[in-house]
Amino acid sequence: MRRRLNTILLLAATLLFPACDGQKKMVHYSDIYQEQPLSIYIAPLNDMAMRRAVREMDDSLYNASITVAAKQMYLSAADPLVSHGYYVPGPLSSAQIAATESRSGKQLRNENINDYHDDLGFDAILFIDILEWRQTSCTWSVVAEYVLRSTKTNSEIMHVWVDATKHLPTDYKGNPRALKDDLDFAEKYGCDFATAQRCRLVEMVNKFVLKDLPAGQRARQQKSERFLKSNPEYYYLRIERDGSVVLLDNNETIETSESTKS
């Protein structure tokens, strides 16, 4: 609990000041460029978000919804890494690896992990923490932390905190209106409206955070992109009503992406 609170306070305090605005990827991700990881194992997600005390049916539904969204965040983290040129084991292989791990998540996060390189051939381990969920009548927010650790040096080669919010348009009564992609997702997976919003949100966050990493060795843009501007270490994401993503730093817009479909 104390670690979760300290992390949230650190995120809030740091966002009051400009982050690494204008820093090139070759500088911001210098450790990754130096180590050139090829394969990444995604550790089981650490869900630290508070659950509601169950007094009414809505409390149970909320708890179930954020649990599903946490699973979706873990399952959707591999796609942006694979498309960005990294080797990532599939969910079944990852589950088998996790089942054989005797260390706790905290130990894996902080202690020696050379065995993942020497025995399993992974160059890095990605850790994802969900710290907090928030919502209003037409917005859904998540605070998440991403850490990439080298299995060769045991050092952190990437560390990111992000506070992301998904907005929906509203009708004349102020009720939220789902986007087509949201409706398609809910129909495909048979989930309720709120769960679809949270799952879509974490998918977008994974894509935005992990595709900012330097491209893996299998990607064609691996050398040319090092001169592009990187994301900060601490930032807000705002998924607009049209599905586009805006990165905010120090409460100012510093980058706008195209539709998240791209």
Side-chain angles (χ1 to χ4, degrees), residues 97-155:
I97 293 171
T100 63
E101 178 57 68
S102 59
R103 287 165 290 189
S104 67
K106 182 178 180 180
Q107 290 174 322
L108 198 62
R109 174 83 171 257
N110 297 292
E111 297 181 2
N112 189 299
I113 52 173
N114 291 154
D115 55 306
Y116 273 78
H117 180 267
D118 298 337
D119 300 338
L120 300 175
F122 294 116
D123 299 315
I125 299 180
L126 176 66
F127 299 89
I128 304 175
D129 294 352
I130 293 181
L131 305 178
E132 181 185 4
W133 288 99
R134 302 187 308 274
Q135 68 182 83
T136 67
S137 60
C138 61
T139 66
W140 289 262
S141 301
V142 65
V143 180
E145 178 183 6
Y146 294 76
V147 173
L148 189 65
R149 285 193 72 202
S150 167
T151 59
K152 302 174 185 177
T153 63
N154 294 300
S155 60

Side-chain angles (χ1 to χ4, degrees), residues 210-239:
L210 298 177
K211 280 207 167 184
D212 188 62
L213 290 174
Q217 296 181 31
R218 295 189 299 131
R220 293 181 179 179
Q221 70 272 28
Q222 203 257 350
K223 292 184 179 180
S224 60
E225 69 165 15
R226 64 183 60 201
F227 299 104
L228 298 177
K229 179 181 170 183
S230 69
N231 292 339
E233 287 184 331
Y234 312 86
Y235 55 90
Y236 290 104
L237 280 185
R238 188 173 68 206
I239 292 87

